[in-house]
Amino acid sequence: MGLFSLFAPKPAAVSVQTAREQDRLTPEFCTPTLRTPDCQLYDALRETIPLVDGALDKLIRLTGAFQVQAQHPRAQQALDRFLQQVPVGGNGQGIQRFLWVYLDNLLTYGNAVGEMVLTRDGRTLAGLYNAPLDRLAVRGGQGPFHPELLYHNGLSTTPIPYPELILFTPLNPPAGSLRGRSILYGLPFVAGILTKIYRSIGQNFERMGNLRFAVTYRPKDSAVDRAYSQEIAQTIAREWSQAMSASGPVRDFVAVGDVDIKVIGADNQVMDSQIPVREMLEQIIAKLGLPPFVLGLSWSSTERMSRQQADILTSELESYRTLLTPVIEKICRTYLLLEGLDPALQVVWEDINLQDELESAQAQLYRAQAEQLTNPGGEGK
């Protein structure tokens, strides 16, 4: 397998009988970009609810690190240096930085696009670039298994000249669709309810936390009160404003006559928002796949439940790793081929460890005891 075999055109697959021909032959000026109007809603959702933004960041960090093992020692040395020092974007370095942004776009928008940038002479990789989705579109290419990415300039779309340098991953695309679906799909309705609750809490706190008073003056049935009731009311209002002024010193308010002072809203009872807020947060956490204790929410009542949730999270992270592995392999193989080295390699992910050090030590002890039982005559490691 050589360099030219990597970029050689592949034979076109047969057409899919259950797909409409016009899906592939969509006019270029009608092809929607990968950044749909829902993407703005997902950005607003992450900005409005910090728990959603924090959960996605934790999913990206918990995906873990990996190692790329090449068969040839010379290729291994060059590959290790490349993975640590490859420029990413304008101010990043290392493939891990590229994958963080790549996975962030994948989870948030349902699609992620990257590009392997070559040097001017085209002999080696100069860096990795996370492409913005608002300038890219996708449509069926030569067969159902080779989607074609297009560049959108605002008016029309044109095919990308070197599609073999493009990295494209959709997240859980619906049947018959080339575009993926965000992990936040289905949450805007729940987030809208939660935002209304938070907004009402803020308004109620502003009304009841910042006290407002109702000062009522009741004129008596006398000639003076009947004649000067308006002037007396204005005087009381002026003195009350001076007494309650935040800029001046604390002072008492003295009034003569029948004056009643009450706090506005003191008789009202603030609704308990703990139960509805928790119900909405449970829907969000169930969609994101993170256990509550990872986000600092102590909802798990037993240690057994926490371990089960950790196992579920591990399976979620494994699924994201399966999406990133082909991207890593394509980048590494392209680099090795351009350098004239053996492209045979394997991506090995580190074990996902969500337990504490004590449980890890106990697991190693149990594993050693099991090896002694199965192999009594063997020497301990």
Side-chain angles (χ1 to χ4, degrees):
M1 181 178 181
L3 173 62
F4 297 100
S5 62
L6 177 67
F7 303 114
K10 299 180 180 180
V14 297
S15 61
V16 178
Q17 303 180 58
T18 56
R20 296 177 300 176
E21 185 67 18
Q22 54 266 29
D23 292 340
R24 186 176 64 86
L25 300 178
T26 304
E28 295 181 358
F29 59 88
C30 297
T31 304
T33 61
L34 291 176
R35 185 175 177 85
T36 60
D38 294 338
C39 295
Q40 298 180 358
L41 188 60
Y42 298 145
D43 288 335
L45 196 150
R46 293 188 62 171
E47 182 180 357
T48 305
I49 303 178
L51 184 138
V52 175
D53 185 67
L56 292 180
D57 289 340
K58 285 182 173 57
L59 282 175
I60 296 172
R61 299 299 185 267
L62 289 174
T63 305
F66 62 91
Q67 294 180 355
V68 181
Q69 298 177 356
Q71 293 185 0
H72 198 277
R74 183 182 174 186
Q76 184 68 48
Q77 295 178 0
L79 193 59
D80 293 339
R81 184 173 58 254
F82 167 76
L83 295 179
Q84 294 178 2
Q85 302 177 0
V86 56
V88 177
N91 54 1
Q93 185 177 2
I95 192 174
Q96 194 70 47
R97 181 69 176 270
F98 170 78
L99 292 178
W100 282 347
V101 181
Y102 194 87
L103 184 57
D104 186 89
N105 291 338
L106 184 63
L107 297 179
T108 305
Y109 309 121
N111 300 281
V113 180
E115 182 178 356
M116 296 178 288
V117 182
L118 301 181
T119 56
R120 292 185 179 274
D121 55 7
R123 294 182 178 181
T124 185
L125 283 180
L128 302 175
Y129 176 70
N130 296 103
L133 301 180
D134 56 350
R135 292 298 182 182
L136 297 173
V138 61
R139 69 176 182 182
Q142 297 179 358
F145 309 112
H146 302 285
E148 181 182 11
L149 284 175
L150 308 172
Y151 176 77
H152 184 75
N153 60 4
L155 299 176
S156 61
T157 55
T158 56
I160 294 178
Y162 305 101
E164 61 275 2
L165 299 176
I166 301 300
L167 307 167
F168 172 63
T169 304
L171 177 65
N172 300 327
S177 177
L178 298 176
R179 292 187 297 271
R181 180 179 292 176
S182 170
I183 192 177
L184 304 179
Y185 180 81
L187 290 183
F189 175 75
V190 176
I193 298 177
L194 187 61
T195 304
K196 291 180 182 178
I197 296 176
Y198 286 155
R199 187 181 296 111
S200 63
I201 292 175
Q203 292 176 351
N204 291 334
F205 186 82
E206 183 179 358
R207 292 170 180 170
M208 299 184 179
N210 187 8
L211 300 181
R212 291 173 172 82
F213 299 89
V215 182
T216 305
Y217 165 64
R218 300 183 180 86
K220 296 183 179 179
D221 191 11
S222 62
V224 177
D225 290 345
R226 289 196 301 269
Y228 300 99
S229 59
Q230 183 176 359
E231 289 78 0
I232 295 174
Q234 294 177 355
T235 303
I236 293 175
R238 183 173 60 255
E239 294 295 328
W240 177 260
S241 299
Q242 294 179 0
M244 299 302 296
S245 177
S247 59
V250 179
R251 52 180 296 184
D252 298 331
F253 170 72
V254 180
V256 179
D258 189 1
V259 179
D260 186 17
I261 301 176
K262 292 183 178 179
V263 178
I264 298 177
D267 298 334
N268 295 332
Q269 182 179 2
V270 180
M271 297 180 60
D272 186 11
S273 60
Q274 183 176 0
I275 295 178
V277 167
R278 174 167 175 171
E279 290 180 353
M280 297 300 104
L281 292 180
E282 286 176 350
Q283 298 292 328
I284 295 176
I285 292 176
K287 188 66 171 63
L288 297 178
L290 273 174
F293 67 87
V294 176
L295 301 173
L297 303 175
S298 57
W299 291 352
S300 300
S301 58
T302 62
E303 185 181 0
R304 178 182 178 86
M305 183 181 299
S306 298
R307 291 180 178 179
Q308 293 176 349
Q309 292 173 345
D311 294 339
I312 296 175
L313 176 59
T314 302
S315 64
E316 292 286 338
L317 298 177
E318 291 288 351
S319 65
Y320 299 143
R321 288 182 170 185
T322 57
L323 296 176
L324 295 179
T325 299
V327 176
I328 301 172
E329 292 178 347
K330 185 175 182 179
I331 295 174
C332 296
R333 287 198 176 99
T334 303
Y335 171 76
L336 293 178
L337 287 173
L338 291 173
E339 295 293 331
L341 299 174
D342 185 7
L345 54 87
Q346 182 183 6
V347 178
V348 179
W349 291 88
E350 296 182 357
D351 293 336
I352 299 176
N353 186 7
L354 302 177
Q355 308 297 330
D356 55 14
E357 295 296 333
L358 177 60
E359 293 181 352
S360 299
Q362 290 178 350
Q364 293 178 1
L365 176 61
Y366 296 155
R367 190 180 300 110
Q369 292 176 352
E371 291 179 357
Q372 290 182 357
L373 294 176
T374 55
N375 188 14
E379 296 181 357
K381 295 182 179 180

